[in-house]
Amino acid sequence: MSLFSSLYDKTLIWAKHPKAPWYLGGMSFAESSFFPIPPDVMLMPMALAKPEKAFRYAWITTIFSLLGGLLGYAIGYWLLEWIWPTIQSIGYEAKYHQIEGFFEQYGVWIVFAAGFSPIPYKLFTVTAGATNMALLPFLFASFIGRGARFFLVAWLMKIGGERYESNIRRWIDWLGWFVVILIVFYLGFKLL
């Protein structure tokens, strides 16, 4: 089935849309505080579609991710009790406490690591606010971690775009179905 390759083609078309940078900014903002899909899925095809604007897109992604991180921080700082039932209902209570432990052990360095890694960053922004982490170190670590990640993605797409694009196109359906299978196994495991 070529479901994922047709979605990939549509994403490349959307990436050329005049309002695509606004959508990228909105997605980056939302992902840092509550949205589950990372902005890389939009940054990559946009940088592939217009390699000359790859670093501009990385700036947009970084800045809006940082602003979204501030919202996540505010949610944790002021609204943790209010959202706690939601955290429990989606099964993130143990993850929250684990991240709290990371904050105690590593301090601001965990924000940098989470910003760069594929770990859901929103968990760390909310926890940073809930644990009253100092705001300026939080912002600095977020800026460096998120910026490094998004500029690396943009740079890779810029220097090897055409070469990567053909490999992505060749393997996108296999990768897509592999991720679906992993999600199904994960959900099945959670339910058992």
Side-chain angles (χ1 to χ4, degrees):
M1 288 189 161
S2 60
L3 170 71
F4 293 99
S5 56
S6 62
L7 285 173
Y8 175 72
D9 291 336
K10 284 187 193 319
T11 305
L12 287 176
I13 292 168
W14 295 334
K16 294 177 183 176
H17 191 277
K19 295 197 188 256
W22 288 101
Y23 302 143
L24 177 63
M27 182 180 220
S28 302
F29 178 86
E31 184 269 340
S32 292
S33 50
F34 61 88
F35 193 62
I37 300 171
D40 308 63
V41 300
M42 198 164 177
L43 174 61
M44 289 172 69
M46 287 177 68
L48 275 172
K50 295 183 179 178
E52 71 281 0
K53 293 186 176 182
F55 293 137
R56 178 174 177 254
Y57 297 147
W59 274 115
I60 291 169
T61 310
T62 302
I63 290 168
F64 280 90
S65 180
L66 188 64
L67 293 173
L70 278 173
L71 176 62
Y73 185 97
I75 289 169
Y77 190 82
W78 284 303
L79 302 174
L80 184 65
E81 287 182 32
W82 186 67
I83 65 164
W84 190 253
T86 304
I87 291 172
Q88 289 176 314
S89 70
I90 59 175
Y92 275 35
E93 183 177 6
K95 286 183 183 180
Y96 173 82
H97 291 303
Q98 182 182 22
I99 292 168
E100 263 186 331
F102 290 153
F103 272 80
E104 288 175 18
Q105 189 172 2
Y106 301 109
V108 74
W109 292 105
I110 196 65
V111 175
F112 168 77
F116 188 77
S117 74
I119 299 169
Y121 184 61
K122 68 196 93 352
L123 299 174
F124 290 84
T125 64
V126 171
T127 307
T131 59
N132 296 318
M133 174 177 264
L135 186 59
L136 287 178
F138 167 76
L139 289 173
F140 182 73
S142 294
F143 179 74
I144 299 299
R146 296 304 263 180
R149 172 180 166 174
F150 299 137
F151 275 89
L152 177 63
V153 168
W155 179 71
L156 288 171
M157 295 300 104
K158 184 178 176 86
I159 64 162
E162 289 180 26
R163 185 178 46 203
Y164 293 149
E165 202 277 331
S166 63
N167 286 329
I168 291 169
R169 180 170 304 289
R170 184 175 337 131
W171 293 101
I172 194 71
D173 285 307
W174 286 99
L175 289 171
W177 287 114
F178 178 70
V179 169
V180 168
I181 291 168
L182 284 177
I183 291 169
V184 168
F185 276 119
Y186 174 76
L187 292 175
F189 181 74
K190 275 282 242 207
L191 292 173
L192 296 175

